[in-house]
Amino acid sequence: MDLIDDAPDPGPDAGDNNPAFTVSEIAGAVKRVIEGEFGRVRIRGEIGRVSRPASGHLYFNLKDDRASLDAVVWRGQAARLSVRPEEGLEVVATGRLTTFPGASKYQLVVEDMAPAGAGALMAMLEARRKALAAEGLFDAARKRPVPYLPEVIGVITSPSGAVIRDILHRLRDRFPRRVVVWPVAVQGQACAPEVARAIAGFNALPAGGPVPRPDVLIVARGGGSLEDLWGFNEEIVVRAAAASTIPLISAVGHETDTTLIDHAADLRAPTPTAAAELAVPVRAELLAQVAGLGGRLTTGAAQGVQRRRQRLADLSRALPRPERLIEGAVQRLDQVAARLAVALRGGQQARRLRLARLVLQPAALRQRLRGEGRTLQGLAARLAPALARRVAERRARVDSLARVLGSLSYTGTLARGFAVVRAGERIVTRAAYAAPLMEVEFADGRVTVQAGPPPRRPRRDEAPPEQGSLL
Amino acid sequence: MAGKQVGEMSFEEALGELEAVVGRLERGEVALEDSIALYERGAALKARCEAKLAEAEEKVAKITLSADGQPAGTVPLDAD
């Protein structure tokens, strides 16, 4: 309706009720309508591709499952956004619609932007955390120990506000140190790049330069919403913290807030105040500790000498007098010396006694002689009967043998009429043995015979002559 | 023991060795001659610790950045 109301005067084609617009006219009309109607709108959608040309303006598109809307953030506004536009993030963008007559387009000029819901943001955060953890940026092995007593402390935070004040107060209470503050924006679009540059900048400081190089860094920010703390979840900040060669303590938000820089930091403090406590020990306690050690050092050294003195005294007491050492030996010597003369005399006496006992005793000798004599007499008395008995026995034996011999003698045979012929001493049992003179024994005596010629009727030439004589 | 020069030690190193020295002297586990040298080292370590503790100056500075974002120098910062 407004379109018709605002329509310019009808053109030359008066025959038609509908007036004719020029292209510019209609574009201008559309622009007025759209910008009038949608001067301030909140649009929810997912961020599509983001482009950041050198101009500093920011271009992206918002989309849902059916439509797409171009969006732009002018440079001045881009730094102030609380959420850095990122592809895939669901946001509610606040701004106004404008048209771009030259290209028949319309777009959203974004003035502010917020994540569409904590759930969406948390999901994105978790995905990013996993990706960075997979790279090893959060590995425990990467953590460096925070120095016990740093000389210089670098603080990356806002130079104004409660956070830096809390840190400085706590440092002063515990151990006043040199503090170098690198001012950064702690929220908004500028936060992440400034914090990342500050971490890298502190690391780039040369030792001994005009700006003292810190021994430890504290990255701190007070509590805030997830969106407020978002800069400390940015990848460039996490990478800078992980790459820092100076040990880094993160203290972002309250105890319950965890940002990704906490994972990459060498130490995570629940609050900025706690970061100051982690950074320095309490000086008063250390002074007391050193004083106590100093006292123990002196006492310990003195005690070492005292203990040795005492020990020496104890040992000296325990050391016996020299004469005591030989007392026993002297006593033994005395005892042995006393026994020496006695022993000599005793030995002599004992030997004399033995000698006395050994003197020859005639009575004993006589007694022995008497004994031996008696034995001799006994044996002598037994000698004659034994001999007689022995002779009788032998005689009886001879008689018996003589009888046997007699029964076996050839003289018996002679008694039966046989004769024994001897030639000399030789007994002639064959004619061949015959000698010219032979002796013939008969039972009653012996005769000598002369061998004659053989008998007349010899049955053989050489019949033994003695045979005939024998027969 | 006498590895690092006492004058080059950090507070923590000096404190740790001082504790060790005191412990050894107290346990009496060093020879008499050594205990004198040990006491002297302990005294030097204690002096080092005290010197480090005496350096308790508070100086708070803020880095000033040049136009290209590089640190240009420092100015005192009064945060109160």
Side-chain angles (χ1 to χ4, degrees):
Chain A
M1 310 310 127
D2 291 342
L3 194 70
I4 295 169
D5 289 344
D6 288 349
D9 290 338
D13 299 335
D16 196 328
N17 269 349
N18 281 340
F21 291 94
T22 65
V23 175
S24 294
E25 282 166 356
I26 191 67
V30 168
K31 188 179 185 71
R32 275 197 301 279
V33 170
I34 288 181
E35 292 184 357
E37 188 69 13
F38 304 106
R40 181 173 172 79
V41 286
R42 296 178 73 237
I43 300 170
R44 179 182 179 130
E46 186 187 319
I47 294 176
R49 209 156 53 78
V50 181
S51 123
R52 293 181 173 84
S55 64
H57 307 318
L58 201 61
Y59 300 96
F60 58 94
N61 61 332
L62 282 175
K63 58 184 182 179
D64 59 17
D65 52 352
R66 283 194 302 273
S68 178
L69 173 65
D70 288 346
V72 60
V73 188
W74 303 126
R75 190 177 62 194
Q77 209 64 34
R80 263 171 274 150
L81 283 182
S82 60
V83 174
R84 184 182 153 90
E86 195 152 327
E87 188 169 344
L89 182 63
E90 194 170 354
V91 293
V92 176
T94 305
R96 57 195 165 85
L97 287 183
T98 63
T99 65
F100 185 43
S104 183
K105 284 190 168 181
Y106 67 100
Q107 64 184 4
L108 175 67
V109 176
V110 178
E111 280 151 14
D112 196 8
M113 206 161 61
L121 207 55
M122 291 303 286
M124 197 186 73
L125 185 59
E126 180 59 16
R128 190 183 295 171
R129 189 192 66 76
K130 278 183 179 157
L132 293 171
E135 275 188 50
L137 294 183
F138 305 154
D139 285 356
R142 293 181 63 105
K143 310 286 184 202
R144 287 165 307 262
V146 171
Y148 184 73
L149 181 54
E151 302 280 336
V152 180
I153 300 167
V155 182
I156 298 167
T157 190
S158 165
S160 58
V163 169
I164 185 64
R165 211 164 55 230
D166 288 349
I167 290 174
L168 293 176
H169 279 162
R170 188 50 58 99
L171 287 177
R172 183 180 301 155
D173 289 347
R174 291 172 69 88
F175 205 131
R177 296 275 80 180
R178 299 187 68 180
V179 177
V180 181
V181 180
W182 192 302
V184 292
V186 291
Q187 70 184 68
Q189 196 73 25
C191 171
E194 285 190 20
V195 170
R197 194 191 308 133
I199 294 172
F202 269 137
N203 275 281
L205 287 176
V211 178
R213 179 183 165 90
D215 304 306
V216 65
L217 296 182
I218 298 175
V219 177
R221 190 210 190 279
S225 67
L226 183 60
E227 293 78 17
D228 290 340
L229 305 182
W230 193 252
F232 297 91
N233 289 321
E234 292 296 352
E235 195 174 327
I236 49 168
V237 171
V238 174
R239 288 192 186 282
S244 175
T245 55
I246 303 174
L248 188 146
I249 303 173
S250 73
V252 175
H254 294 304
E255 187 154 8
T256 48
D257 300 324
T258 302
T259 50
L260 292 185
I261 193 178
D262 292 330
H263 295 288
D266 297 301
L267 207 56
R268 189 226 162 181
T271 61
T273 305
E277 290 170 359
L278 291 175
V280 294
V282 179
R283 179 168 176 263
E285 288 175 4
L286 292 180
L287 282 169
Q289 190 182 352
V290 170
L293 284 170
R296 283 170 60 195
L297 178 72
T298 309
T299 310
Q303 271 177 351
V305 174
Q306 178 58 31
R307 201 165 39 238
R308 284 173 169 90
R309 181 172 293 140
Q310 182 65 45
R311 180 92 181 117
L312 180 63
D314 292 348
L315 288 173
S316 302
R317 269 198 298 283
L319 195 65
R321 295 192 315 279
E323 54 267 32
R324 285 274 301 281
L325 287 175
I326 59 166
E327 270 173 359
V330 167
Q331 200 169 0
R332 276 182 62 198
L333 176 62
D334 288 346
Q335 285 172 355
V336 171
R339 282 163 57 196
L340 180 63
V342 176
L344 196 59
R345 272 197 301 278
Q348 200 179 8
Q349 272 174 359
R351 279 172 178 76
R352 183 169 294 147
L353 207 58
R354 275 180 65 195
L355 182 62
R357 282 203 205 97
L358 287 174
V359 165
L360 290 172
Q361 287 176 320
L365 205 56
R366 270 197 300 278
Q367 191 178 355
R368 182 147 179 210
L369 273 175
R370 268 201 300 277
E372 299 296 334
R374 267 199 298 276
T375 308
L376 183 62
Q377 281 169 4
L379 289 173
R382 284 159 58 196
L383 180 62
L387 190 60
R389 214 165 35 245
R390 191 94 177 138
V391 168
E393 278 170 12
R394 288 290 185 271
R395 180 167 295 140
R397 178 77 179 141
V398 167
D399 289 349
S400 120
L401 287 174
R403 272 195 300 279
V404 172
L405 182 63
S407 69
L408 294 176
S409 171
Y410 69 96
T411 51
T413 310
L414 294 181
R416 291 205 310 267
F418 291 89
V420 175
V421 181
R422 288 187 177 85
E425 285 307 303
R426 190 172 184 183
I427 293 171
V428 179
T429 54
R430 293 178 193 273
Y433 303 157
L437 275 178
M438 286 175 293
E439 187 188 60
V440 178
E441 182 184 3
F442 299 98
D444 52 348
R446 303 187 182 202
V447 291
T448 302
V449 296
Q450 192 166 11
R456 292 295 307 175
R457 46 153 191 99
R459 287 190 305 222
R460 295 191 184 176
D461 291 345
E462 63 272 9
E466 64 268 52
Q467 194 158 350
S469 65
L470 190 63
L471 295 173
Chain B
M1 179 198 76
K4 200 169 179 179
Q5 289 291 314
V6 173
E8 294 169 1
M9 283 183 166
S10 72
F11 173 82
E12 194 180 7
E13 287 170 332
L15 185 69
E17 193 180 328
L18 178 57
E19 282 174 332
V21 163
V22 168
R24 290 184 65 197
L25 277 177
E26 284 180 340
R27 285 193 297 276
E29 62 185 22
V30 282
L32 189 60
E33 291 77 9
D34 295 344
S35 73
I36 293 163
L38 200 60
Y39 173 80
E40 283 169 351
R41 182 155 178 95
L45 290 164
K46 175 174 176 279
R48 175 67 179 171
C49 288
E50 283 171 337
K52 296 303 282 183
L53 291 180
E55 293 169 7
E57 60 159 347
E58 185 188 72
K59 196 195 275 180
V60 179
K62 185 176 83 169
I63 285 187
T64 53
L65 299 174
S66 63
D68 58 354
Q70 296 304 308
T74 58
V75 293
L77 175 75
D78 185 10
D80 286 319

